[in-house]
Amino acid sequence: MNNIQDEFISTVSHELRTPLTSIRGFSQTLLNSWDKIKDEDKKKFIGIIEDQSNRLINLVENILSVSKMNTTNQVLKKVDINSSIEKLVPMFSGQYKTRNFITRLHKNLPEARLDEDKFQQVMTNLIDNAAKYSEDGQNVTITTGISENMISIKVQDEGVGIRKEDFTKVFQKFTRLENHLTSKTQGNGLGLYITKQIVEKMGGQITFQSEEKKGTIFEVRFPFYNQEEALKCSQLS
Ligand SMILES: Nc1ncnc2c1ncn2[C@@H]1O[C@H](COP(=O)(O)OP(=O)(O)OP(=O)(O)O)[C@@H](O)[C@H]1O
Ligand SMILES: [Mg+2]
């Protein structure tokens, strides 16, 4: 585990530099040449600063979840998955204004046994990918439900999809797959690697289905907080 952390820190410190350099460069340009820059360019530059800051925040959150993974004994608590998702989605609608975010939340969803911060990081990575690897006007649908005696959360997109031959690479660290959006979008190829680690550490599972040019569904499943009550409740609904 320590080796993973060492390797991580060296690779990731390098990844931190790129967005920081870009944020500093565009801020300096704006400050030094404010009067000379056209309004539309100002807007463009501030947009870049915002994008790069988002990238940085997500990278830092991912690094933190890896370093927290083995240093603290995790305490899993009762979490209301639906309201946790409802808190998260408005952030994405703000960041990806050209995607439609749809939530289909199961009405009597039992509580899950989780660490809510880590759950939010998992959802952030999955929703970010769904939005990033799809096109303007497409839907990103988040569905909660019960499946195989566990709580299930699906994040579905209508985007580029993943080729069959790449299926085995999806969860490898620092791996980005070839598609026409990879070069146009930002990423370190870390999100899904970390997501899988966090999910499994909390006793959950992660799977996906995908078809090239049709879209992708990632599904995560987590244990119920109270197995017996949850089963009764799922039979009623
Ligand atoms: N919903 C998706 N649709 C199509 N391809 C995807 C999807 N999610 C992930 N991928 C592919 O899997 C690769 C790995 O995903 P991952 O989230 O680990 O990395 P990233 O998004 O490129 O970077 P990061 O998450 O570190 O910012 C992506 O580069 C992309 O090629
Ligand atoms: Mg990602």
Side-chain angles (χ1 to χ4, degrees):
M1 216 21 172
N2 266 335
N3 280 341
I4 296 183
Q5 271 189 15
D6 291 348
E7 192 190 328
F8 233 87
I9 290 164
S10 61
T11 318
V12 150
S13 339
H14 172 79
E15 306 288 338
L16 292 171
R17 195 171 287 143
T18 321
L20 278 173
T21 309
S22 150
I23 290 169
R24 185 179 57 187
F26 282 103
S27 330
Q28 282 172 342
T29 309
L30 283 167
L31 279 173
N32 297 340
S33 322
W34 184 262
D35 296 331
K36 289 180 224 139
I37 306 171
K38 282 187 281 180
D39 276 358
E40 69 188 84
D41 286 335
K42 280 179 187 154
K43 215 168 167 182
K44 199 171 115 196
F45 293 172
I46 294 170
I48 295 172
I49 293 175
E50 193 195 11
D51 279 353
Q52 295 295 335
S53 310
N54 282 330
R55 181 183 169 194
L56 209 50
I57 289 167
N58 196 39
L59 185 57
V60 169
E61 292 292 346
N62 276 333
I63 298 167
L64 286 178
S65 28
V66 167
S67 63
K68 267 192 256 162
M69 216 138 56
N70 48 335
T71 49
T72 50
N73 258 341
Q74 57 180 356
V75 184
L76 303 181
K77 301 200 180 115
K78 211 187 257 190
V79 175
D80 177 349
I81 294 277
N82 285 346
S83 59
S84 190
I85 290 172
E86 276 170 340
K87 278 186 258 170
L88 204 63
V89 172
M91 253 175 42
F92 282 98
S93 330
Q95 189 184 339
Y96 291 99
K97 294 196 176 64
T98 57
R99 307 291 186 276
N100 308 313
F101 292 90
I102 301 166
T103 48
R104 299 215 172 97
L105 306 179
H106 186 288
K107 282 203 189 74
N108 301 311
L109 198 65
E111 280 137 335
R113 184 183 291 275
L114 282 178
D115 173 317
E116 188 168 9
D117 287 345
K118 288 186 184 151
F119 173 68
Q120 293 239 342
Q121 187 60 21
V122 164
M123 293 312 294
T124 300
N125 284 329
L126 296 181
I127 301 172
D128 183 62
N129 283 349
K132 193 157 72 168
Y133 300 114
S134 59
E135 315 277 351
D136 287 1
Q138 288 183 332
N139 296 330
V140 172
T141 311
I142 302 148
T143 311
T144 60
I146 297 167
S147 153
E148 297 173 28
N149 270 337
M150 292 178 105
I151 291 171
S152 146
I153 306 104
K154 287 186 186 156
V155 179
Q156 173 164 20
D157 67 62
E158 306 167 342
V160 286
I162 299 169
R163 287 194 221 115
K164 277 247 154 36
E165 59 262 38
D166 285 336
F167 277 16
T168 53
K169 300 184 197 149
V170 164
F171 295 110
Q172 288 172 5
K173 65 172 172 290
F174 302 116
T175 304
R176 303 194 75 204
L177 311 174
E178 260 323 299
N179 62 54
H180 76 278
L181 289 175
T182 323
S183 54
K184 283 197 244 163
T185 54
Q186 307 274 7
N188 304 292
L190 260 184
L192 285 177
Y193 165 73
I194 288 170
T195 299
K196 189 171 159 69
Q197 310 272 322
I198 310 177
V199 167
E200 290 176 353
K201 186 94 187 182
M202 291 194 289
Q205 299 159 357
I206 179 162
T207 52
F208 69 94
Q209 291 162 259
S210 185
E211 202 176 326
E212 227 189 323
K213 300 195 180 95
K214 294 259 171 66
T216 304
I217 306 176
F218 272 89
E219 179 177 18
V220 282
R221 283 186 296 274
F222 290 105
F224 299 124
Y225 185 79
N226 183 330
Q227 190 71 16
E228 280 158 33
E229 263 178 44
L231 284 181
K232 267 187 256 158
C233 164
S234 65
Q235 277 152 10
L236 291 176
S237 57

